[in-house]
Amino acid sequence: MDSTDDLLRMVRAAEPELTPKLRGICRLIETDPVMFLRSAAGKLCAHTLEPTLIRFCQRSGYAGLADFRMMDAADRVILLADSAGFGKPRLHRIRAMEHVSVLVTDLPSDHETACRIRDRGVQVVSTIEEPAL
């Protein structure tokens, strides 16, 4: 399965809950997903307004268009995150954990949050030294 299949599946699942303007971007993606992933932002803005495009990316869990493209192009997503931000409000969210392959963090491997993330199928790599048994 390639990134365009994943993109189409994501768009079709989200479309019913979106505003009419954001649904317009869904139709653009469904018409030509490769064009959407590879075209310059200026070309995409010929079909929609830039704030709408950014809102679509943010509604999909990305900071913006570049983040959207980078995460969708990756076969394996490795997230490096320090534990200070877990469970706290943030300015933008990281793409849903189900799309992350590996989380590298300063959480101990037996920490409750690390265990919950591991239960979702994500490999958790702790950067802190743990005592040898």
Side-chain angles (χ1 to χ4, degrees), residues 32-45 47 53 65 69:
D32 193 348
V34 174
M35 183 274 300
F36 184 83
L37 290 173
R38 295 187 181 163
S39 293
K43 182 175 181 181
L44 294 176
C45 289
H47 302 279
L53 182 60
L65 184 60
R69 289 177 170 163

Side-chain angles (χ1 to χ4, degrees), residues 4-52:
T4 57
D5 291 333
D6 292 339
L7 176 61
L8 288 170
R9 188 171 39 258
M10 184 267 299
V11 164
R12 289 178 182 135
E15 192 170 3
E17 299 173 14
L18 299 176
T19 65
K21 287 183 181 181
L22 296 179
R23 273 188 250 137
I25 295 175
C26 291
R27 285 190 294 280
L28 178 64
I29 293 170
E30 290 172 334
T31 301
D32 193 348
V34 174
M35 183 274 300
F36 184 83
L37 290 173
R38 295 187 181 163
S39 293
K43 182 175 181 181
L44 294 176
C45 289
H47 302 279
T48 188
L49 298 174
E50 184 177 4
T52 304

